[in-house]
Amino acid sequence: DTAVSQTPKYLVTQMGNDKSIKCEQNLGHDTMYWYKQDSKKFLKIMFSYNNKELIINETVPNRFSPKSPDKAHLNLHINSLELGDSAVYFCASSQDQGQPQHFGDGTRLSIL
Amino acid sequence: QKEVEQNSGPLSVPEGAIASLNCTYSDRGSQSFFWYRQYSGKSPELIMSIYSNGDKEDGRFTAQLNKASQYVSLLIRDSQPSDSATYLCAVESWGKLQFGAGTQVVVTP
């Protein structure tokens, strides 16, 4: 069983479109995260939710909107996609803040 | 100043030798430290966590932490070609993990 699963694995779309990425974890963790890894491989946190509550909101354009329907799911919706949004987006989860995080396989987003 | 700094590499290591990776961090209040391994095109995988000063060993991996010097390192003994990957240092700061840019390790047969 996959511990942290994301869909889709690949997303190719045109500039200006709106897209969503879904994430689910079956580890019973309370905290979930979204990270962006750019072409230089730098992994940067975007958002974090603890038990459905937003606790970390980094300097991210408001075109990005996370949503956590329950503590096992964290989705990411992106409006008006731009070329600079091309990256790999990773979902992760941990038992609590500051604890080891387990990552999903990533969603490779390519903007044409 | 970056919050977590690592040498980007590549670090070339002969098979069977010891690979030594270093990481420095800026937040003196950090309490939790992690090493992740990331193969090309894959997700980061946790290999070590360390919370107190000193050494922690797990198989061929040893993590070393010195909070006074704000320094954490990872040693890989008996390096194998399968250890070729990028190693990410992650430091807990204000409830979130700050990642270094990673050190690429290449183990040569």
Side-chain angles (χ1 to χ4, degrees), chain B residues 7 9 15 23 25-26 35-36 39 46 69 80 82 84 86 93 96 101 104:
Chain B
N7 290 327
E15 186 174 356
C23 173
Y25 60 94
S26 60
W35 283 98
Y36 285 82
Y39 293 113
L46 179 70
S69 300
Q80 301 296 309
S82 60
S84 296
T86 296
S93 178
K96 60 187 177 186
Q104 184 186 3

Side-chain angles (χ1 to χ4, degrees), chain A residues 9 33 35 37 40-45 55-56 58 90 97-106 108, chain B residues 2 4 32 34 36 38 40-46 49 51 86 88 92 94-101:
Chain A
K9 194 172 177 69
Y33 311 82
Y35 286 89
Q37 190 170 45
K40 295 183 179 179
K41 308 301 183 187
F42 188 63
L43 194 62
K44 186 164 173 57
I45 190 165
I55 54 172
I56 293 173
E58 291 296 281
F90 286 103
Q97 292 177 265
Q99 296 296 307
Q101 296 181 14
H102 300 266
F103 284 78
D105 289 339
R108 186 173 297 275
Chain B
K2 292 181 183 175
V4 179
S32 306
F34 308 95
Y36 285 82
Q38 187 174 24
S40 182
K42 301 294 185 182
S43 61
E45 172 193 8
L46 179 70
S49 56
Y51 304 97
T86 296
L88 304 171
E92 179 271 333
W94 293 92
K96 60 187 177 186
L97 290 193
Q98 301 284 0
F99 282 83

